[in-house]
Amino acid sequence: MTTALEAQGLTLAYDGRVISTGLDLEIPHGRITAIVGPNGCGKSTALRALSRLLSPREGRVLLEGEDIRRLGGKELARRLALLPQTSQAPGGITVADLVARGRFPHQHLLQQWSADDARATSRAMAATNVSELGSRGVDELSGGQRQRVWIAMLLAQDAPVMLLDEPTTYLDIAHQLEVLELVRALNRDDGRTIVLVLHDLAQAARYADHLVVMSDGRVAATGEPAAVLTEELVADVFGLEARIVPDPVFGMPLVIPIASRAGADGG
């Protein structure tokens, strides 16, 4: 198993507050990785560091073996795309125009728009089922539609590595599954390496090939969901007494909560 993205010995901090120290993390090539953990454990911070939005105090991040600090902005964007937790579209922008912005890393000073850009944008909109929404304003759409449009923009960016920070937040269960099924199709059909930050352990177990469990700014466990998700780990990391049984439909680990352990930190 080759590694697409790797963090080596990262120390990460915000405003003087250290979140992670000595963080090591490997993202396997061509697979879906889900990063899970309790609130405040450093999941989103780690994703920001992997995308170069946050510079580590110590350590480095390698993209296909290259230090991302040495890559130019457009080169990095051609190889790695990020969908943050909250994405704000400019007022009045249409779906087609927003998706087209994903092509910026591929454009040049003397050629702002090309046939390749048009084809990539069209393919991205078709793959995410937003082609019929092209002329509509992004601010007119439902939450599930907007999330598909943002993913279409990432897809138009045509980066082989995609990072999505809590892409199902604020969506109802039907739209959550719609987004996760789309993510899986992008992985299976295009071979993209995809990293998701998720809260729902059942969804992580169902859709991820590789699981990273974080706790207190460190990696507590990593591997295939069936091997990683144990009752002991759920108790230690999430402060939750639970039973884990095979999902009756998909066979993946299904976490059945029983009780929150007294004194567990849910912050």
Side-chain angles (χ1 to χ4, degrees), residues 2-24:
T2 58
T3 300
L5 198 57
E6 183 177 1
Q8 297 179 341
L10 300 186
T11 295
L12 306 175
Y14 286 120
D15 299 324
R17 176 172 169 260
V18 175
I19 308 297
S20 293
T21 303
L23 177 64
D24 295 322

Side-chain angles (χ1 to χ4, degrees), residues 102-115:
R103 297 302 299 168
F104 174 74
H106 300 273
Q107 294 171 355
H108 307 283
L109 183 62
L110 299 180
Q111 186 178 31
Q112 294 297 306
W113 189 253
S114 68

Side-chain angles (χ1 to χ4, degrees), residues 137-159:
V138 174
D139 51 8
E140 302 173 14
L141 305 180
S142 69
Q145 289 173 324
R146 281 198 300 272
Q147 200 69 317
R148 283 192 283 123
V149 170
W150 283 110
I151 294 174
M153 189 186 76
L154 258 68
L155 191 55
Q157 192 172 327
D158 203 25

Side-chain angles (χ1 to χ4, degrees), residues 176-260:
Q176 289 178 26
L177 293 182
E178 180 183 38
V179 167
L180 291 170
E181 289 290 343
L182 170 59
V183 166
R184 181 154 63 184
L186 295 177
N187 169 258
R188 301 298 190 257
D189 296 343
D190 297 346
R192 294 174 191 267
T193 299
I194 298 178
V195 185
L196 306 167
V197 169
L198 294 175
H199 277 290
D200 190 303
L201 292 178
Q203 291 179 351
R206 176 176 170 181
Y207 288 96
D209 308 301
H210 184 74
L211 202 61
V212 175
V213 182
M214 292 193 64
S215 177
D216 296 325
R218 62 180 178 83
V219 174
T222 183
E224 294 184 2
V228 168
L229 285 178
T230 65
E231 294 173 5
E232 292 78 14
L233 178 130
V234 172
D236 291 342
V237 172
F238 295 90
L240 182 68
E241 183 181 353
R243 296 293 177 267
I244 297 180
V245 299
D247 185 294
V249 178
F250 301 102
M252 300 300 183
L254 182 62
V255 179
I256 302 177
I258 296 176
S260 176

Side-chain angles (χ1 to χ4, degrees), residues 155-167:
L155 191 55
Q157 192 172 327
D158 203 25
V161 179
M162 297 174 63
L163 313 181
L164 296 89
D165 193 358
E166 299 187 23

Side-chain angles (χ1 to χ4, degrees), residues 92-102 113 121 125 134-136 138 149 153:
I93 193 170
T94 67
V95 168
D97 286 342
L98 183 62
V99 175
R101 291 193 175 198
W113 189 253
T121 300
M125 294 178 67
S135 62
R136 292 184 59 183
V138 174
V149 170
M153 189 186 76

